[in-house]
Amino acid sequence: MAALILFGGGGDLAMRMLLPSLYFLDHDGLLPEGLKIIGAARSDETAEEYVAKVHEAVKARAEADGAWDEASWARMKSRLDYLAVDATDPESLAPLKAKCGDGAVTSFLAVSPSLYGRIVTAMKAAGLAERNCRIVLEKPVGRDLESFLEIDDAVAHAFDERQVFRIDHYLGKETVQNLIALRFGNTIFEPLWNNLTVDHVQITVGETVGVGDRWPYYDEYGALRDMLQNHMLQLLCLVAMEPPSDLDPDSVRNEKVKVLRSLRPITLEEAERVTVRGQYVAGTSEGKPAKAYQEERGQPSDTETFVAIRADIDNWRWAGVPFFMRTGKRLPERRTEIVIQFKPVPHSIFDHGDRGAVEANRLVIELQPEEDISLSVMNKKPGLDQRMQLQPIKMSLSWGVPGGQNDKDAAPPRRRIAYERLLLDAMSGDSTLFVRRDEAEQAWKWVDEVSDAWSGASFKPLGYAAGTWGPEAADLLLSRTGRKWNTRDE
C-alpha cells in the first residue's frame, strides 16, 4: 500500500492547496489505488477532528470550482488519517512508520524549512527514508547558499538525490508546461528564439497584497529571496535554455543549469545600474487605503518588498539580449507574465503617409490570474482605413477542450491547481518539473552576489506608493535602454 504523508498536515499550505489538490485528483480518478493520505502535525487532535477540518477546507474550494460531490469525498475520506507527532523525534515517528507499512512512502514537508534538517535525520532513523521512499521539499530551502547547503547536506545524508523533489509550484502551471511545448514543438517559434530576432525578455510577478502578518518570515527573506531566487529564475531558465535531447528529467534540468551558470555576475559596481530595490509606503491598493510596510511591521526595516533586475546571459544564443525581471507586493495588479519582445522589421514600407508606424511583434505568456498565450502582430485595420495596428491573437490554452473557446455553450474547463500535477509526479517518481540540487546551488550563488552587492553599496530600498508599479528607478531600468515595461493600456 502506498502512502502520502503531509508533515504540517493541518497548516495553511496543506488546507489551502495540497488537500484540495488531492481531492480533485481523487474526483478525477487519478490517485493510485489504495493510496493512504496521512496528516502529521504537532496538534493533539483525533483523526476524526482532523478529517472534519479537511472536509470543511476541501468542500469550500471544490464547491467554488463546481467539482464537489459526496461520492468523491467519501472516497477521499476513506484514505485520510492523522497522527500527532514531533517530526524531529525518531521515537515519535515510529507509529507513523507503522501506519505506512512497507509500501512506497512519499513525504511532503509543508513546514518551516528551518526544521528540514532535523526532520530528515529523524525520518532516516525511523525508517521513513528507505529506497522506496521519496521526500518533497517546499521552498525556500535556506535563505542563502550557505544555509541551503547546510540543510541540503542533511537531506542528502538521509535521501539519495533521486528521492528528493524540491518543489516550485510555478513549474506545475499549465502555461509553464506549455512553454516547453511552444518552443520545442513548433517550427515557427524555435528558429526565432535567439538574439537575432528577440530584442529583450520581461518577467513580471506582481502581487496586490501586502506582507501583513507574514512580516516575521518576509523580513528575513525579502522579495529577492522569496520570489526571484526560485520562481522567477525558473521561468527565466525555461525561456532561455537550449533544446534538451529528450524529455528525460536530467536532460531538461541539465539545460536549466547551463543557463544559471551563464548568468553574468552582478558586481558592486554594476548593482546600481542593473538592479532596483523598493519598499512600499502608504498608498491606495485595490481602491482601499494601504499601510506602509514599516507600519505593518511596527518598526523600521531595510527589507525590499519590490525588486527589479536586468539579467544578462553570456552565451551565443542570448548575447546582447537583456532579461528584465520585476516582482513586488502592493502593485496595481495580480499578474504573472513572460513577455518575449521581438525586434522590429529591418525596414518598414509603411512609415509614410497615414498608414502609421509598424510596431514590433510581442509574445505574452500569462500565468496568472489567467493562463493564456497571445501573440501581437501587425495588420491593417478593417475597412477602408489604411492604417496599421498591432493586434493580439489569442492562443487560448482551453482550445480543443470541452468547455473551451470553441465550445460556446459549455462552462470553461477548471484550471487545475499547480500542485495537482506536481503531487502526481512526485508520487510516480517523475522529477522533470522539480529543482535539482545543482540548480538550486547556482540560483543561490547568483542571488547571493546580488545581495552582497547591495550590502557592500549600502543599497537602501526606494519608497513606492502602494498601488503603483514600484519606484521610478524600475522604469528607468528599461527607459535608459529605449525600452519600457509591458502594461495593460498598450
Side-chain angles (χ1 to χ4, degrees):
M1 177 188 71
L4 173 64
I5 303 172
L6 301 180
F7 287 99
D12 178 69
L13 177 63
M15 291 293 172
R16 189 167 49 87
M17 290 291 182
L18 303 182
L19 288 158
S21 293
L22 291 166
Y23 167 83
F24 289 128
L25 291 172
D26 210 353
H27 177 272
D28 295 339
L30 297 174
L31 288 184
E33 188 73 26
L35 176 71
K36 196 75 174 172
I37 302 169
I38 306 171
R42 288 182 177 272
S43 177
D44 189 14
E45 59 187 332
T46 66
E48 291 74 20
E49 290 170 331
Y50 177 73
V51 170
K53 283 170 53 178
V54 175
H55 176 267
E56 184 179 348
V58 166
K59 185 176 183 180
R61 178 63 186 262
E63 285 184 336
D65 285 5
W68 175 259
D69 69 72
E70 294 295 337
S72 296
W73 167 248
R75 195 164 56 246
M76 181 173 175
K77 181 180 178 181
S78 68
R79 301 177 184 274
L80 286 170
D81 202 350
Y82 177 80
L83 195 64
V85 299
D86 176 357
T88 63
D89 179 4
E91 291 187 12
S92 182
L93 292 180
L96 188 58
K97 167 61 177 173
K99 279 184 178 290
C100 294
D102 296 325
V105 178
T106 303
S107 298
F108 194 116
L109 299 193
V111 298
S112 170
S114 63
L115 298 173
Y116 286 177
R118 294 163 60 196
I119 290 176
V120 295
T121 302
M123 290 175 69
K124 182 175 177 63
L128 288 169
E130 303 301 313
R131 294 184 65 180
N132 64 341
C133 296
R134 302 184 182 96
I135 187 165
V136 183
L137 305 177
E138 180 69 32
K139 71 93 182 174
V141 181
R143 69 175 305 276
D144 52 25
L145 180 59
E146 182 181 3
S147 58
F148 166 77
L149 292 175
E150 182 180 343
I151 294 170
D152 220 57
D153 284 347
V155 174
H157 182 70
F159 293 88
D160 183 84
E161 177 65 24
R162 289 169 296 180
Q163 299 171 276
V164 181
F165 294 75
R166 298 172 193 84
I167 203 165
D168 185 330
H169 72 269
Y170 269 45
L171 299 185
K173 288 182 175 291
E174 190 76 23
T175 331
V176 173
Q177 296 171 62
N178 260 297
L179 177 56
I180 297 176
L182 185 79
R183 283 195 59 188
F184 305 128
N186 298 283
T187 56
I188 63 172
F189 288 113
E190 181 54 26
L192 306 178
W193 215 266
N194 54 54
N195 58 5
L196 299 178
T197 51
V198 174
D199 178 80
H200 72 278
V201 176
Q202 299 178 23
I203 303 174
T204 293
V205 180
E207 298 179 274
T208 57
V209 298
V211 175
D213 57 10
R214 290 183 66 238
W215 72 260
Y217 158 81
Y218 200 86
D219 209 58
E220 182 181 359
Y221 286 84
L224 180 69
R225 294 180 175 92
D226 182 52
M227 293 297 293
L228 192 135
Q229 184 273 335
N230 40 77
H231 297 329
M232 302 190 78
L233 285 183
Q234 283 294 314
L235 296 179
L236 180 145
C237 286
L238 291 174
V239 171
M241 71 182 189
E242 294 296 318
S245 57
D246 51 42
L247 285 179
D248 178 79
D250 278 335
S251 298
V252 174
R253 298 191 292 181
N254 286 343
E255 298 305 332
K256 290 198 289 178
V257 171
K258 291 177 186 177
V259 174
L260 293 169
R261 287 177 176 163
S262 300
L263 283 173
R264 185 182 302 168
I266 293 179
T267 63
L268 179 67
E269 295 73 25
E270 288 283 284
E272 188 170 3
R273 184 179 69 85
V274 299
T275 74
V276 177
R277 292 184 83 198
Q279 184 185 101
Y280 62 82
V281 299
T284 301
S285 178
E286 298 182 302
K288 299 178 182 178
K291 296 179 179 179
Y293 172 68
Q294 297 196 26
E295 189 178 354
E296 291 176 336
R297 189 183 185 280
Q299 54 185 298
S301 170
D302 285 339
T303 298
E304 76 281 352
T305 62
F306 175 94
V307 60
I309 288 183
R310 169 180 171 155
D312 289 272
I313 301 172
D314 291 332
N315 63 21
W316 278 30
R317 180 182 289 263
W318 296 114
V321 177
F323 284 68
F324 297 101
M325 297 180 282
R326 63 174 172 174
T327 183
K329 303 283 188 184
R330 289 293 187 212
L331 300 185
E333 297 176 45
R334 176 177 173 266
R335 188 209 311 179
T336 300
E337 69 178 16
I338 302 167
V339 177
I340 313 296
Q341 180 65 60
F342 293 97
K343 292 180 178 179
V345 294
H347 171 71
S348 173
I349 63 173
F350 302 102
D351 287 347
H352 61 273
D354 60 356
R355 290 181 180 269
V358 172
E359 298 180 53
N361 303 131
R362 176 184 297 165
L363 181 68
V364 180
I365 303 161
E366 296 181 61
L367 279 72
Q368 66 179 18
E370 299 299 326
E371 296 189 52
D372 268 314
I373 300 173
S374 64
L375 176 66
S376 295
V377 298
M378 290 301 299
N379 72 339
K380 190 188 79 65
K381 287 190 173 184
L384 300 178
D385 198 324
Q386 293 297 308
R387 287 177 297 174
M388 303 288 288
Q389 65 179 359
L390 191 67
Q391 179 176 338
I393 301 173
K394 284 285 184 182
M395 295 182 284
S396 174
L397 300 182
S398 59
W399 277 27
V401 177
Q405 275 197 334
N406 55 349
D407 187 349
K408 301 299 183 183
D409 298 327
R414 180 181 69 84
R415 298 289 191 190
R416 288 196 180 274
I417 303 172
Y419 282 99
E420 295 178 47
R421 168 83 273 159
L422 298 173
L423 284 166
L424 275 183
D425 284 356
M427 287 187 286
S428 65
D430 184 346
S431 57
T432 306
L433 298 177
F434 294 83
V435 180
R436 203 169 60 191
R437 176 175 171 130
D438 53 349
E439 280 185 76
E441 281 188 42
Q442 288 296 324
W444 274 123
K445 181 181 178 182
W446 190 75
V447 164
D448 279 359
E449 290 167 347
V450 175
S451 181
D452 291 345
W454 286 350
S455 298
S458 299
F459 210 47
K460 303 294 183 184
L462 305 170
Y464 66 95
T468 64
W469 279 109
E472 290 183 10
D475 292 328
L476 290 174
L477 188 66
L478 273 76
S479 63
R480 68 167 63 103
T481 67
R483 302 175 174 98
K484 59 184 178 179
W485 292 105
N486 182 48
T487 57
R488 295 298 189 200
D489 56 3
E490 290 184 358

